[in-house]
Amino acid sequence: MGNEDIILGKDDSMQKKLLAFIAIALIYFFYCYNFMIGTFIKPTMIAEVSAGGFGFTLQQSEEIFAVMSFGTIPGTFLFGMISTRIGKKRTLIAIAALIAFTTFVPMLSPTNMILWKAARFCTGVVLGGVFGCAMPLVADMFPGKYRGKLAATLTALYSLAMIFGGKIYGIFGDSNWKILMYTAIIPPIIGAVLALIFVPDDLGYTREMLVKGRESGEKINYLSMYKGKYLWIGLGTILLSGANFTAYSAFSNNATTYLVTGVGMTAAIAGSIFSLQGLGQLLGYFVWGAIADKFGRKVPLIGMAVSAGFVFIYTRLGGDNITAFYIVSVLIGFAVGYSGAWGAYYTELFPSKYRALSSGMSFNGGRIISTFAVPAIAGA
């Protein structure tokens, strides 16, 4: 495996390394947060223009954010290749600036649906590059004994972004949609500045890998990476991520609907049950990340099997088992935290020269599978 010693910032103090991690984490947090913009402003989008809305239909608002999700797939390829040329640090800084810019563009003409679609697609493309730059940078800066916990910390930021987003939306509401947009625009710029100052530069190492590749006749690209045993490793990681995305989406996207329409609960109770899954998941990321560092990256797969068992129990509970639903929801979330250390695992499975490509494709490649699998399951 490509599990070498520290590459970047060997002589940096631990304090500076932690500041570098915070800079990366800030960008990653608002990468997660950006996916929730639709939740905040959809009510404004579908409201009448006379009432201060954009006058879109519900279907049009769904289309706007569907193209964003699709954009993450080509973004993974594009920014993965860019980072092999200019380094992961420079690529991540550019991505952070582009997140801010592409998120701002629709505000120039908020009732223009075509502008919204084009801008959110571009935002999706940019967001697709974050995982593949952030995770390998962390892996390059810290020894293996820390990577699982740090990767889990980054992954856990999605749960925190959900909690933060809900609080911010509760404070400002629909009428202040512009302020809500700016909460997704300004912080990535701050993250880019902090990354510029504190994250060690990997351009020299990137160029060194390119020179070695030319000397050996091997180019640093996806075709070179997926050769020999690494083809099967790569296919395995994509299938693993695909199974994860498919199962998680199939359950989470329908959990509250099931509780309300299938079990007969009120929306308030269903929402509170579902929210506990997020809290369990947050804890699970850290625990499974620590387990991965101590006992190996594959051990958390136990959580994948356990989560399936808890989902089965969840579907067998009745409307008079509300307390049990709360408990099982927490346990499902905790078990689902098994994927927290995958950023480190996907980075280490390939030689270090492919770190800029391997983690992003292994992770986001699963989105391609779930994009087709989830609708097919729903249709069945």
Side-chain angles (χ1 to χ4, degrees):
M1 294 195 303
N3 188 15
E4 290 85 356
D5 290 331
I6 249 182
I7 296 171
L8 299 180
K10 287 183 178 180
D11 300 323
D12 290 347
S13 66
M14 183 56 72
Q15 183 181 18
K16 186 176 180 182
K17 285 184 181 297
L18 289 175
L19 288 171
F21 178 76
I22 289 170
I24 295 170
L26 182 63
I27 295 172
Y28 196 93
F29 180 91
F30 284 95
Y31 143 73
C32 298
Y33 181 73
N34 205 288
F35 282 97
M36 299 160 204
I37 289 295
T39 304
F40 303 153
I41 63 171
K42 271 186 182 179
T44 304
M45 283 184 159
I46 62 177
E48 297 293 334
V49 176
S50 58
F54 305 162
F56 299 161
T57 65
L58 181 61
Q59 182 178 355
Q60 287 172 330
S61 70
E62 292 288 348
E63 290 171 356
I64 288 170
F65 295 100
V67 298
M68 182 197 77
S69 182
F70 182 77
T72 61
I73 298 171
T76 300
F77 287 97
L78 175 63
F79 287 101
M81 290 306 301
I82 290 174
S83 64
T84 65
R85 300 299 185 270
I86 66 173
K88 296 180 285 293
K89 172 183 175 175
R90 285 171 167 76
T91 305
L92 186 62
I93 291 171
I95 286 171
L98 287 170
I99 289 173
F101 175 73
T102 57
T103 303
F104 171 75
V105 166
M107 298 179 69
L108 298 172
S109 181
T111 58
N112 187 327
M113 188 187 68
I114 301 300
L115 182 62
W116 269 103
K117 279 188 175 181
R120 290 315 283 173
F121 174 77
C122 291
T123 302
V125 171
V126 177
L127 293 175
V130 175
F131 190 95
C133 288
M135 289 292 183
L137 267 176
V138 171
D140 284 349
M141 290 191 300
F142 293 89
K145 63 181 179 179
Y146 298 119
R147 289 175 188 160
K149 289 183 283 288
L150 292 172
T153 300
L154 288 183
T155 306
L157 293 179
Y158 187 84
S159 298
L160 289 177
M162 289 178 67
I163 297 169
F164 175 77
K167 295 294 184 183
I168 291 293
Y169 179 69
I171 293 170
F172 292 106
D174 297 327
S175 60
N176 292 305
W177 69 270
K178 287 185 179 180
I179 295 176
L180 291 170
M181 291 291 288
Y182 279 115
T183 62
I185 293 168
I186 296 173
I189 298 174
I190 297 172
V193 173
L194 293 176
L196 181 64
I197 297 171
F198 295 113
V199 175
D201 197 355
D202 63 331
L203 180 60
Y205 174 74
T206 301
R207 287 177 172 171
E208 180 185 335
M209 290 297 99
L210 286 172
V211 170
K212 287 183 178 179
R214 291 193 192 101
E215 290 174 351
S216 63
E218 183 182 22
K219 296 180 179 179
I220 299 178
N221 55 35
Y222 290 104
L223 289 177
S224 298
M225 182 173 72
Y226 290 126
K227 282 185 176 179
K229 69 175 183 178
Y230 294 109
L231 171 62
W232 302 109
I233 291 173
L235 290 174
T237 58
I238 290 173
L239 287 172
L240 186 62
S241 286
N244 182 59
F245 276 123
T246 299
Y248 184 82
S249 298
F251 177 76
S252 295
N253 291 352
N254 297 289
T256 53
T257 303
Y258 168 73
L259 292 176
V260 173
T261 62
V263 182
M265 293 183 183
T266 64
I269 293 176
S272 62
I273 289 173
F274 182 72
S275 67
L276 284 181
Q277 181 186 327
L279 291 176
Q281 200 165 317
L282 185 61
L283 176 62
Y285 283 140
F286 293 109
V287 173
W288 289 112
I291 289 172
D293 278 342
K294 187 171 181 63
F295 300 106
R297 306 296 189 221
K298 280 189 175 183
V299 175
L301 287 176
I302 296 169
M304 180 178 262
V306 171
S307 63
F310 285 137
V311 169
F312 177 79
I313 295 172
Y314 193 93
T315 61
R316 291 297 179 269
L317 296 174
D320 56 343
N321 300 124
I322 293 178
T323 301
F325 268 113
Y326 279 116
I327 295 171
V328 175
S329 187
V330 172
L331 293 173
I332 289 173
F334 178 81
V336 166
Y338 64 78
S339 62
W342 281 4
Y345 192 34
Y346 290 163
T347 300
E348 295 168 345
L349 280 171
F350 295 84
S352 60
K353 61 185 174 182
Y354 294 120
R355 280 181 179 172
L357 304 178
S358 61
S359 61
M361 182 49 59
S362 297
F363 182 75
N364 287 324
R367 294 184 190 275
I368 300 173
I369 295 174
S370 65
T371 296
F372 295 99
V374 173
I377 292 169

